[in-house]
């Protein structure tokens, strides 16, 4: 099994390797890896190919949210406990830098070009990390249902949800909230709900309220829409 | 801090006086299993760096269970018209667990009790699965209104409301390292300078103070690297000190003067860059944080007093 905890890959390491990346017409070089990562890369690339085919992405000018969502679900399925990938792993920026710059730089490049922020430079914008957490925080029973509740969102939803973990994500609140938000498409509402949530969590514990997390989330949406 | 719930309150809460009167006794320990052998880690202080107490525990391979037993000798003092809640109601103990570095927070109910002449005994056991914790983890215990049947004036009126003015127990588990490290990394550049400081954060109040967000890098290929790294002579130690001072000054200036953050923000996240800045401003006694000169002069003066003058001449 991959020793994820052993990955030490600083911003400087990533920068050095990123600068050595060379973009060819059909590939990006070098992709240097130890054996243990080759099979993971193969799976991640197979998924990328499948997503490209399904989403007909070969014919688009620029990849967008639809790719983020579809590929996010794929990496969420692959990067999981059977290969030793845990909450601790997903909280390790070294791991995300390593995956982005060393393992599948070609996939990151297809989405963001050579934008260093999304490869390694700005932790909260590391693309693979943001789409993994987006799916993790929104997961609803299975792949299909998760896709369905998220399909009408945008890149902005990912940023809003993932960018500010505060003192830590409350996963049950976020999953309930994302399910509820699938009934809406109002970006401003989403932003207001998240703000209200951050403010209220300082004073109340939804898990301890009457009706628990779901009553709490209902109330957030009601109040963010001006009450009644 | 992040979970400071002491906002201006319109209902009665349990203050330290009342906490003392009801007689709260708490015992806590940590436990894990290694090769089917039970291991106990005593919790003697509020903040515990696990690997300093027990090198055998691995955040990756072992689960970690927290056990807390709580005794309240005179619970009835919390009930009644003149106290916290009606004797018809039920109180609960809640536990808020949060860790910015592990990316999660949750609140779990610990136990409930009603008005009674007898003492309350609650035993709580909570297990973190292997590889779920990273960095620092905070665990706060408080009293809340669990069930409401009757409400008097100036008392909490909704189930879930927090009734302790301050948490009656706060624990900090340091899962990785000792929790007080300035993020220093190394790079190799034969032509390059001895050190460089890099900023990768977007929001200092949210970003964790670690090498992903801010890093002081020393050039391992530089001729002076070995000397400052080993710190054998007084001059080499002074040089390393000066590098640290410059790095900290630059970070403080960026965070407070350029980005206009406020260190007196009530909801300062522990381990954030802003929290580190607050700590430096306080411990280096920087009085005027609006001036570049005052910041670096105060730091140098303090550093010199503390570290250089106290040392023996030994080189």
């Amino acid at each position: 099994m991959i020793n994820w905890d052993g990955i030490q890959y600083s911003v400087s390491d990533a920068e050095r390797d990123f600068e050595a990346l060379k973009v060819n017409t059909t590939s990006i070089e070098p992709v240097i890896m130890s054996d243990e990562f080759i099979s993971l890369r193969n799976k991640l690339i197979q998924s990328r190919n499948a997503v490209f085919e399904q989403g007909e992405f070969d014919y688009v000018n620029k990849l967008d949210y639809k790719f983020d969502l579809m590929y996010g679900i794929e990496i969420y399925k692959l990067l999981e406990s059977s290969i030793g990938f845990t909450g601790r792993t997903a909280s390790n920026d070294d791991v995300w830098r390593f995956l982005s710059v060393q393992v599948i730089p070609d996939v990151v490049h297809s989405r963001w070009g050579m934008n260093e922020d999304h490869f390694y430079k700005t932790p909260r914008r590391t693309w693979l990390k943001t789409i993994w957490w987006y799916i993790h925080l929104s997961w609803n029973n299975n792949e299909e249902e998760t896709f369905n509740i998220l399909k009408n969102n945008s890149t902005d939803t990912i940023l809003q949800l993932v960018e500010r973990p505060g003192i830590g994500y409350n996963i049950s609140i976020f999953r309930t909230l994302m399910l509820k938000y699938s009934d809406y498409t109002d970006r401003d509402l989403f932003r207001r709900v998240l703000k209200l949530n951050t403010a209220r969590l300082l004073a109340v514990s939804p898990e301890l309220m009457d009706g628990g997390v779901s009553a709490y989330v209902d109330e957030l949406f009601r109040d963010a829409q001006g009450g009644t | 801090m992040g979970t400071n719930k002491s906002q201006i309150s319109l209902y009665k809460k349990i203050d330290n006086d009342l906490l003392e009167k009801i007689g709260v006794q708490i015992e806590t320990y940590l436990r894990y299993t290694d090769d089917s052998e039970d291991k106990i880690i005593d919790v003697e202080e509020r903040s515990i760096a696990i690997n300093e107490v027990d090198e055998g525990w691995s955040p990756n391979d072992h689960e970690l269970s927290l056990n807390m037993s709580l005794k309240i000798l005179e619970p009835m003092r919390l009930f009644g018209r003149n106290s916290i809640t009606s004797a018809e109601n039920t109180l609960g103990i809640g536990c808020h667990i949060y860790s910015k570095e592990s990316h999660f927070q949750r609140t779990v109910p610990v136990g409930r009790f009603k008005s009674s002449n007898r003492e309350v005994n609650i035993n709580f056991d909570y297990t973190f699965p292997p590889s779920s914790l990273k960095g620092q983890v905070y665990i706060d215990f408080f009293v809340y209104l669990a069930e409401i049947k009757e409400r008097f004036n100036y008392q909490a009126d909704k189930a879930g409301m927090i009734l302790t003015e301050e948490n009656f127990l706060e624990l900090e588990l340091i899962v990785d390292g000792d929790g007080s490290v300035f993020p220093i990394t190394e790079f190799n550049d034969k032509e390059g300078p001895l050190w460089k400081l890099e900023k990768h954060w977007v929001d200092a109040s949210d970003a964790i103070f670690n090498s992903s967000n801010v890093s002081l890098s020393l050039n391992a290929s530089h001729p002076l690297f070995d000397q400052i790294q080993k710190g054998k002579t007084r001059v080499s130690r002074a040089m390393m000190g000066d590098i640290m001072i410059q790095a900290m000054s630059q970070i403080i200036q960026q965070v407070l003067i350029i980005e206009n953050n406020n260190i007196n923000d009530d909801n300062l996240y522990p381990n954030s860059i802003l929290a580190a800045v607050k700590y430096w401003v306080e411990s280096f006694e920087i009085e005027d944080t609006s001036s570049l000169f005052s910041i670096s002069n105060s730091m140098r003066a303090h550093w010199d007093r503390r570290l250089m003058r106290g040392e023996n001449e030994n080189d």
Side-chain angles (χ1 to χ4, degrees), chain B residues 7-247:
Chain B
Q7 299 179 322
I8 296 170
S9 169
L10 299 172
Y11 60 94
K12 284 186 197 160
K13 283 188 166 182
I14 305 169
D15 59 15
N16 286 335
D17 275 355
L18 185 53
L19 218 47
E20 212 160 282
K21 281 184 190 146
I22 61 174
V24 178
Q25 294 173 1
I26 303 163
E27 276 177 42
T28 48
Y29 65 85
L30 298 166
R31 191 184 70 240
Y32 69 99
T33 315
D34 186 35
D35 276 344
S36 62
E37 193 185 328
D38 262 353
K39 306 265 187 179
I40 302 288
I41 303 172
D42 292 326
V43 177
E44 279 160 4
E45 285 175 58
R46 292 288 162 95
S47 171
I48 168 169
I50 300 174
N51 282 135
E52 280 184 9
V53 184
D54 184 337
E55 284 182 356
W57 183 78
S58 146
N60 225 9
D61 304 329
H62 297 119
E63 86 289 342
L64 186 70
S65 300
L66 169 73
N67 184 285
M68 183 203 63
S69 44
L70 171 79
K71 191 177 276 190
I72 303 175
L73 299 176
E74 299 184 37
M76 65 282 194
R77 286 180 184 267
L78 296 172
F79 296 90
R81 188 181 289 271
N82 296 318
S83 189
I84 301 302
T85 198
S86 158
E88 297 293 310
N89 300 340
T90 308
L91 294 181
I93 304 291
C95 170
H96 183 208
I97 305 167
Y98 62 100
S99 168
K100 189 175 179 56
E101 285 153 292
S102 318
H103 286 75
F104 74 84
Q105 63 168 311
R106 65 180 70 104
T107 300
V108 286
V110 169
R112 293 177 167 214
F113 59 97
K114 292 191 165 187
S115 181
S116 157
N117 290 325
R118 278 179 297 181
E119 63 181 41
V120 168
N121 283 290
I122 290 173
N123 192 26
F124 173 65
D125 212 64
Y126 190 86
T127 301
F128 299 99
S131 201
S132 62
L133 303 179
K134 186 171 172 63
Q136 265 117 307
V137 182
Y138 298 87
I139 305 170
D140 296 345
F141 290 91
F142 55 89
V143 178
Y144 71 99
L145 182 59
E147 215 181 303
I148 180 161
K149 288 191 174 147
E150 183 182 25
R151 189 214 170 210
F152 297 122
N153 279 341
Y154 308 112
Q155 292 185 347
D157 59 354
K158 256 183 168 172
M161 284 170 89
I162 288 158
L163 300 178
T164 20
E165 230 166 51
E166 285 169 26
N167 300 311
F168 66 83
L169 172 66
E170 294 183 352
L171 297 172
E172 177 190 20
L173 308 180
I174 300 165
V175 174
D176 294 278
D178 65 2
S180 60
V181 183
F182 192 102
I184 299 180
T185 55
E186 289 177 13
F187 69 106
N188 280 289
D189 181 358
K190 286 204 169 74
E191 311 285 307
L194 177 59
W195 62 279
K196 58 185 180 182
L197 181 68
E198 282 171 349
K199 160 192 185 302
H200 306 294
W201 74 81
V202 176
D203 177 352
S205 66
D206 188 65
I208 298 166
F209 183 57
N210 65 16
S211 62
S212 292
N213 286 311
V214 53
S215 89
L216 173 60
S217 293
L218 300 177
N219 185 356
S221 306
H222 195 280
L224 282 176
F225 176 79
D226 277 344
Q227 285 192 50
I228 59 156
Q229 184 77 338
K230 288 181 184 137
K232 276 192 177 156
T233 66
R234 233 179 154 190
V235 172
S236 63
R237 282 192 297 279
M239 182 147 190
M240 189 61 210
D242 209 53
I243 293 172
M244 301 287 291
I245 294 286
Q246 285 194 54

Side-chain angles (χ1 to χ4, degrees), chain A residues 5 11-12 86 88 91 93 97 121-124 133 163-170 202-203 207-208 210, chain B residues 2 5 7 59-60 99-105 107 131 133-134 160 176 200 202-203 206 212-213 267 269:
Chain A
D5 222 36
V11 178
S12 313
T86 62
R88 180 175 160 84
S91 301
D93 285 330
R97 279 191 287 269
K121 202 162 188 182
T122 311
R124 61 148 73 175
W133 278 99
E163 272 205 341
R164 295 185 66 92
I167 55 169
Y169 300 119
N170 187 315
L202 295 173
E207 295 97 327
L208 304 176
D210 275 340
Chain B
K5 293 175 180 173
Q7 299 179 322
N60 225 9
S99 168
K100 189 175 179 56
E101 285 153 292
S102 318
H103 286 75
F104 74 84
Q105 63 168 311
T107 300
S131 201
L133 303 179
K134 186 171 172 63
D176 294 278
H200 306 294
V202 176
D203 177 352
D206 188 65
S212 292
N213 286 311
N267 301 315
Y269 295 131

Side-chain angles (χ1 to χ4, degrees), chain B residues 287-303:
Chain B
E287 277 168 20
D288 181 3
T289 52
S290 66
S291 147
L292 307 181
F293 303 100
S294 154
I295 292 172
S296 63
N297 285 335
S298 312
M299 293 192 83
R300 267 196 301 276
H302 196 274
W303 187 274

